[in-house]
Amino acid sequence: MTYCVGLLLNDGMVLLSDTRTNAGLDNIATYRKMFTFEVPGERVIVIMTAGSLSVTQTTIAELREAMEDPEATGDSSILIAPTMLKVAEIIGNTLSRVRAAVDEKMASMRQSASASMIVAGQRKDGAMRLFLIYPEGNFIEATEDTPFLQIGEHKYGKPILDRVVRPETSLADGQKAVLLSMDSTLRSNLSVGMPLDLAVIPRDALKVTVERRIEAGDQDFRAMSEAWSEALRTSFQKIPV
């Protein structure tokens, strides 16, 4: 299992993913689930993945292969696609094709594979856009009414996002929100684990300006977690019945 979350704010986008992957209690490993692609001054794209590792790794590998193809076109490479909508379509089509191929190979074992992705990005002179891509390749987009998207084990971290995240939320508060959302998930589900990957893309920067790996012993993250727990306990005591 995993947990990834992305915010679409007026000032930019904030993205956070965990790195735990497991195939049973005795087979736990760490794999990066956040992938960044940039063309300096022209576009930035970040992809976060959840689900079957074979599906997500193959999908990312095929996307990279298409980018490196000397005959790539705007219909095949996310680095030269004309719009972020087209980027989402390319990623969705690739994910759907890979998932179907893996499913076919696993059919004899009566098993199936599934994966989903969050895609965040902006191209020059275009708007920031944030998409959630489903295993079938279709997708939805974050809006002002719902300025965040989640994949994986999302239920524990959703309440704080519902309460505090608005389009006008600052990038600093956005980072705080996703980290506390992840902290709630880490406390409630052992299948989500550190280290964490955090990325921030300011509006019109066309690059990731904050890229941070947060390890299990990170003092700042631990202090934030403890402060949040104390704030909740204090507020709980003050609420009358």
Side-chain angles (χ1 to χ4, degrees), residues 64-75:
R64 291 187 188 277
E65 189 174 76
M67 295 177 218
E68 296 167 0
D69 185 350
E71 298 182 1
T73 69
D75 290 323

Side-chain angles (χ1 to χ4, degrees), residues 92-111:
N93 290 338
T94 305
L95 175 61
S96 177
R97 182 177 65 253
V98 170
R99 182 193 60 82
V102 173
D103 270 354
E104 184 177 351
K105 293 177 181 179
M106 298 178 68
S108 62
M109 297 182 291
R110 297 183 179 178
Q111 295 181 1

Side-chain angles (χ1 to χ4, degrees), residues 79-101:
L79 291 187
I80 55 177
T83 65
M84 280 302 302
L85 180 64
K86 187 62 180 180
V87 168
E89 290 178 357
I90 292 171
I91 296 172
N93 290 338
T94 305
L95 175 61
S96 177
R97 182 177 65 253
V98 170
R99 182 193 60 82

Side-chain angles (χ1 to χ4, degrees), residues 28 62 128-129 153 168 172 179 185 227 234 237:
I28 296 175
E62 290 199 7
M128 299 181 300
R129 303 185 78 169
E153 189 57 85
E168 60 271 18
L179 288 169
T185 305
T234 300
Q237 293 296 330

Side-chain angles (χ1 to χ4, degrees), residues 156-176:
Y156 303 107
K158 189 173 186 291
I160 183 174
L161 302 178
D162 284 332
R163 286 181 167 87
V164 306
V165 175
R166 301 290 183 270
E168 60 271 18
T169 299
S170 69
L171 291 178
D173 283 347
Q175 292 177 66
K176 188 190 305 182

Side-chain angles (χ1 to χ4, degrees), residues 19-228:
T19 55
R20 176 163 294 179
T21 299
N22 69 77
L25 294 177
D26 59 347
N27 186 15
I28 296 175
T30 296
Y31 285 93
R32 175 175 286 275
K33 302 171 188 176
M34 181 185 291
F35 304 89
T36 301
F37 307 92
E38 294 181 356
V39 178
E42 202 281 324
R43 73 181 61 198
V44 57
I45 299 166
V46 175
I47 302 173
M48 297 187 291
T49 65
S52 167
L53 195 61
S54 62
V55 173
T56 58
Q57 286 193 337
T58 303
T59 299
I60 295 296
E62 290 199 7
L63 290 171
R64 291 187 188 277
E65 189 174 76
M67 295 177 218
E68 296 167 0
D69 185 350
E71 298 182 1
T73 69
D75 290 323
S76 63
S77 170
I78 64 173
L79 291 187
I80 55 177
T83 65
M84 280 302 302
L85 180 64
K86 187 62 180 180
V87 168
E89 290 178 357
I90 292 171
I91 296 172
N93 290 338
T94 305
L95 175 61
S96 177
R97 182 177 65 253
V98 170
R99 182 193 60 82
V102 173
D103 270 354
E104 184 177 351
K105 293 177 181 179
M106 298 178 68
S108 62
M109 297 182 291
R110 297 183 179 178
Q111 295 181 1
S112 62
S114 184
S116 55
M117 297 182 169
I118 288 177
V119 178
Q122 184 180 17
R123 51 180 288 277
K124 187 177 181 180
D125 298 326
M128 299 181 300
R129 303 185 78 169
L130 181 69
F131 300 94
L132 189 162
I133 302 182
Y134 294 105
E136 297 77 15
N138 57 317
F139 51 84
I140 61 173
E141 185 173 3
T143 65
E144 287 191 2
D145 293 328
T146 307
F148 64 87
L149 296 173
Q150 303 167 282
I151 53 176
E153 189 57 85
H154 62 268
K155 58 182 176 291
Y156 303 107
K158 189 173 186 291
I160 183 174
L161 302 178
D162 284 332
R163 286 181 167 87
V164 306
V165 175
R166 301 290 183 270
E168 60 271 18
T169 299
S170 69
L171 291 178
D173 283 347
Q175 292 177 66
K176 188 190 305 182
V178 297
L179 288 169
L180 291 177
S181 175
M182 180 67 75
D183 178 64
S184 297
T185 305
L186 292 170
R187 285 174 174 270
S188 300
N189 193 313
L190 292 176
S191 69
V192 178
M194 299 179 81
L196 312 175
D197 287 315
L198 174 70
V200 178
I201 309 172
R203 174 183 290 275
D204 297 329
L206 300 177
K207 63 180 180 180
V208 175
T209 60
V210 175
E211 193 167 10
R212 178 183 170 198
R213 170 60 66 95
I214 302 171
E215 301 289 350
D218 187 272
Q219 293 300 316
D220 291 337
F221 183 76
R222 180 177 300 175
M224 179 181 291
S225 174
E226 292 173 354
W228 179 238

